[in-house]
Amino acid sequence: MQKQIRGACALAILAVAVGCASKPATPNPSQAGKGSRVVDAVVVDRRYEPPTSGSGYRSSGTYFLSFEARDGEATVHYEFPVTRQQYSHYAEGSHVQLIMSNDELRDIRPVP
């Protein structure tokens, strides 16, 4: 009886090991963005939000750029707050590289 239990446990462990080894590296596309990466994208929209009256007009407002990129078979849409200089530099239709870390924008570069 004890040998049967050990044999069954060994088979179960083997089955789990084989199952784990056959899984794709990133089964969930939303997990693909974790860590640092460079994404080729296109600027699809630009948006400016003026400062609110409650802020005492100390800020100059917030600038946003929207991007579309390919992530495997899917088209992904990103929108990030950017500096005024980045907002002015990248017009709609610009091909860029987004330097990202954990899905946060770190830098924007023109595609070489």
Side-chain angles (χ1 to χ4, degrees):
M1 177 80 168
Q2 199 170 19
K3 285 184 180 182
Q4 289 176 334
I5 293 173
R6 281 189 209 159
C9 287
L11 283 175
I13 291 170
L14 181 62
V16 169
V18 169
C20 290
S22 66
K23 288 185 180 178
T26 54
N28 183 353
S30 67
Q31 295 299 313
K34 304 308 178 202
S36 297
R37 65 189 178 133
V38 177
V39 176
D40 290 335
V42 176
V43 178
V44 294
D45 192 27
R46 297 159 25 109
R47 184 168 57 92
Y48 170 72
E49 287 185 5
T52 60
S53 60
S55 68
Y57 289 92
R58 281 178 254 150
S59 75
S60 61
T62 306
Y63 298 89
F64 294 91
L65 289 178
S66 295
F67 306 92
E68 278 190 1
R70 300 288 297 171
D71 188 2
E73 296 295 316
T75 299
V76 182
H77 183 83
Y78 297 103
E79 182 177 75
F80 296 108
V82 295
T83 65
R84 182 177 178 183
Q85 182 180 9
Q86 290 169 326
Y87 179 86
S88 299
H89 188 263
Y90 297 107
E92 290 178 20
S94 297
H95 292 269
V96 297
Q97 289 182 328
L98 306 177
I99 293 47
M100 299 170 56
S101 178
N102 295 328
D103 286 333
E104 292 181 17
L105 183 65
R106 299 292 181 209
D107 195 15
I108 305 171
R109 296 181 192 153
V111 169

